Amino acid sequence: MKTFACTHCGQRVFFDSTRCESCNSALGFVAERGEMAAFAIQPDGVWQRLDSAAPTLRYRPCQNYAVANVCNWMVGADAPGTLCRSCAYTAVIPQLSLPQNQRYWYLLEAAKRRLIYALDEIGLAIPGRSEDPQHGLMFHFLEDAPSKKVLTGHDDGLITLNIDEADDVKREARRTAMDEPYRTLLGHFRHEIGHFYWQCLIADGPWLPAFRQLFGDEMRDYTQAMEAHYQAGAPTDWPLNYISSYATMHPWEDWAETWAHYLHITEALNTAAHWGVSLALPEQPAPDPRRQSGRRRCAAVSRQADRAMAAAGAVSQQHEPQPGAARQLPVCAGRPGDRQARVDPPRGAGGTRAVCNGLAAAVR
């Protein structure tokens, strides 16, 4: 996540900000420009930008910003819809008659906005149901019913999330019981969007043979694989070949877990860079992978992985004095340049370089 400044007075503001603490200007995120802008609210309800760079641009707040206060993104004043890009992907929201559900909805939308922002930064298209009525991205935020449990998952473009995952107490209990160190709300979004992009980028395409070589045959029966995983658990040597124990269940989950951690690593490095924290390795410049192609791009992503491994070691050591604190980068890191990098001793995970090379090729 990059740093933002109020476009009216220059005060530092943040991705979730709605008002500048210095000049009291209303703030809104303009997704198509990647900017947190300051606005003056006009009598007709239109929000006029205050900065000199774009004084004629007129917007209105997303309906979920203006009415429900669960968003802070803007919509062009002449746009046909009332929802911002991020909120438009949500087709079903929780029942707001229950007081806690308003809070859960806010947290779910906030995590989703961070996901959309990260995908935009990478340069990935995010087709919704308006572009692809059958397979486009769509979200359902649902709660358990007395007779039916809601399972978080992906199905042909539809991502369903159980709103209980927005409850810190319930999610932490599941995280501990299931030994999932990266069970966070944003982590769910990153994982499930991995399944979506497998369908978009890999399924029935030219990258399928390479996927099978690296991750395995996705034609394995998923139900049987899931039952075997929950009955017997992950192999004891899983850290040598997988990013997490859950990744051992099935090639689809291996891909989704790897994709989620790729996004996590990318965002962590971007945040560090924008806050002035240098993670470049000696004599290894780190050009933007999006500007590379072919093998040069894969090499750039490998260097990016090396920087992430170095960062992970530092972050893990920072949190050692805090008993019970969750790892901030709970993948496996190790010495920069290791072909089989290890991150979170004694767990560790291998093949990071090969995984990132495959991801770089897939999202090219």
Side-chain angles (χ1 to χ4, degrees):
M1 181 65 65
K2 67 182 181 182
T3 55
F4 298 96
C6 173
T7 54
H8 182 53
C9 72
Q11 172 72 21
R12 175 161 287 168
V13 295
F14 301 93
F15 187 66
D16 297 316
S17 296
T18 58
R19 188 162 295 277
C20 176
E21 297 293 331
S22 177
C23 68
N24 205 37
S25 296
L27 299 175
F29 186 73
V30 182
E32 62 270 22
R33 300 171 69 93
E35 296 175 345
M36 181 63 71
F39 295 89
I41 304 175
Q42 305 300 311
D44 62 357
V46 170
W47 289 31
Q48 183 79 46
R49 287 191 62 152
L50 290 173
D51 53 293
S52 58
T56 62
L57 296 181
R58 291 157 56 86
Y59 295 86
R60 48 191 166 80
C62 170
Q63 182 177 1
N64 288 340
Y65 186 0
V67 177
N69 201 28
V70 298
C71 181
N72 69 335
W73 283 23
M74 304 302 293
V75 180
D78 299 323
T82 60
L83 298 176
C84 70
R85 280 186 56 224
S86 179
C87 289
Y89 289 111
T90 303
V92 178
I93 66 172
Q95 297 183 38
L96 300 183
S97 58
L98 300 176
Q100 70 272 21
N101 286 2
Q102 177 80 20
R103 172 68 176 168
Y104 295 162
W105 182 30
Y106 167 80
L107 293 171
L108 288 160
E109 292 292 352
K112 176 155 64 70
R113 287 194 298 275
R114 288 180 176 269
L115 174 71
I116 300 301
Y117 170 87
L119 297 175
D120 283 344
E121 285 289 290
I122 293 174
L124 285 170
I126 318 172
R129 290 294 162 124
S130 59
E131 296 91 350
D132 185 347
Q134 291 186 316
H135 310 293
L137 183 63
M138 179 170 63
F139 291 88
H140 286 182
F141 299 149
L142 304 176
E143 59 189 315
D144 289 336
S147 60
K148 185 178 181 180
K149 294 287 186 180
V150 173
L151 299 179
T152 293
H154 169 268
D155 183 16
D156 208 13
L158 170 61
I159 293 177
T160 301
L161 275 92
N162 189 320
I163 66 170
D164 274 355
E165 294 297 335
D167 184 310
D168 291 341
V169 174
K170 293 179 180 178
R171 188 182 62 254
E172 178 63 17
R174 292 192 182 103
R175 187 188 73 82
T176 303
M178 302 181 74
D179 191 25
E180 295 178 351
Y182 190 56
R183 191 183 185 100
T184 66
L185 196 53
L186 182 54
H188 278 301
F189 279 95
R190 288 170 172 161
H191 176 97
E192 299 305 336
I193 205 69
H195 290 298
F196 173 75
Y197 279 112
W198 187 89
Q199 181 174 300
C200 293
L201 299 172
I202 306 298
D204 303 319
W207 289 105
L208 188 57
F211 167 86
R212 288 174 173 168
Q213 183 178 6
L214 185 59
F215 293 93
D217 185 2
E218 83 288 352
M219 298 302 291
R220 283 175 46 201
D221 186 277
Y222 185 87
T223 301
Q224 291 181 3
M226 180 174 62
E227 292 175 351
H229 176 79
Y230 285 116
Q231 288 176 3
T236 56
D237 63 348
W238 69 262
L240 298 177
N241 299 292
Y242 296 91
I243 201 76
S244 71
S245 60
Y246 188 66
T248 67
M249 189 176 85
H250 188 275
W252 281 336
E253 301 303 342
D254 191 3
W255 164 269
E257 284 287 274
T258 303
W259 180 277
H261 284 98
Y262 172 73
L263 292 182
H264 186 43
I265 288 170
T266 301
E267 280 294 282
L269 292 175
N270 286 344
T271 300
H274 282 288
W275 280 89
V277 179
S278 176
L279 298 176
L281 299 176
E283 302 179 2
Q284 288 195 16
D288 186 345
R290 290 174 293 181
R291 298 181 181 178
Q292 309 296 312
S293 61
R295 294 190 179 187
R296 290 183 62 194
R297 177 169 182 172
C298 291
V301 174
S302 290
R303 288 194 294 273
Q304 186 182 51
D306 288 342
R307 291 160 59 217
M309 298 307 107
V315 170
S316 292
Q317 290 304 308
Q318 283 181 329
H319 283 259
E320 282 298 333
Q322 303 179 42
R327 298 284 188 182
Q328 297 302 298
L329 192 62
V331 293
C332 302
R335 296 189 304 274
D338 282 356
R339 179 159 294 274
Q340 287 211 325
R342 290 188 293 269
V343 179
D344 189 8
R347 293 171 183 259
T352 304
R353 181 181 303 277
V355 167
C356 287
N357 284 349
L359 283 168
V363 303
R364 184 174 56 192

